[in-house]
């Protein structure tokens, strides 16, 4: 499509899709939402955001992938939130979730 700057945002299985293209030269950021990255290593030097509800069983994958990724990186685990992936938009943290995503895009896009 001719994009020169890309931020991949993937939730649940979409986290692996983002991991699979992490080394594309157009990438300037990546957001993995409550999913396990089977896509590839995150040893890239652009910013990475890992985000999940702390009570979502998949948050353990998010935390593990965060630990394995190279800097720069950030981890947000919303306490008392059990919903998965994009369901966070409708959760009690929905406004904060959207703000965190938009702040990441504004800062890195």
């Amino acid at each position: 499509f001719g994009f020169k700057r890309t931020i991949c945002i993937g939730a649940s299985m979409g986290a692996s899709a983002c991991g699979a293209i992490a080394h594309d030269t157009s990438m300037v950021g990546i957001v993995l939402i409550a999913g396990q990255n089977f896509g590839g290593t995150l040893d890239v030097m652009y910013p990475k955001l890992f985000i999940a509800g702390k009570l979502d069983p998949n948050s353990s994958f998010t935390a593990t992938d965060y630990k394995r990724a190279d800097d720069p990186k950030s981890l947000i685990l919303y306490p008392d939130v059990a919903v998965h992936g994009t369901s966070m938009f409708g959760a009690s943290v929905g406004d904060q979730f959207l703000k965190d995503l938009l702040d990441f895009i504004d800062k890195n896009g």
Side-chain angles (χ1 to χ4, degrees):
F1 294 107
F3 297 108
K4 294 187 178 17
R5 296 173 54 83
T6 306
I7 294 176
C8 187
I9 300 174
S12 193
M13 292 192 68
S16 286
C18 287
I21 63 169
H23 290 266
D24 186 278
T25 58
S26 70
M27 296 293 290
V28 296
I30 194 167
V31 180
L32 303 183
I33 304 167
Q36 188 168 8
N37 173 31
F38 293 114
T41 61
L42 297 176
D43 57 352
V44 292
M45 300 313 298
Y46 55 75
K48 294 160 284 298
L49 175 60
F50 299 82
I51 192 166
K54 190 167 186 167
L55 300 179
D56 176 350
N58 291 288
S59 68
S60 63
F61 299 129
T62 303
T64 298
D65 287 339
Y66 167 78
K67 289 176 190 170
R68 291 181 181 158
D70 287 353
D71 287 326
K73 60 186 178 180
S74 301
L75 174 66
I76 299 173
L77 295 177
Y78 300 108
D80 303 320
V81 175
V83 298
H84 180 67
T86 58
S87 294
M88 283 194 284
F89 283 114
S92 61
V93 296
D95 290 341
Q96 185 62 49
F97 176 64
L98 178 59
K99 181 183 181 320
D100 291 335
L101 292 176
L102 293 175
D103 285 350
F104 183 86
I105 292 166
D106 286 344
K107 183 177 179 184
N108 300 295

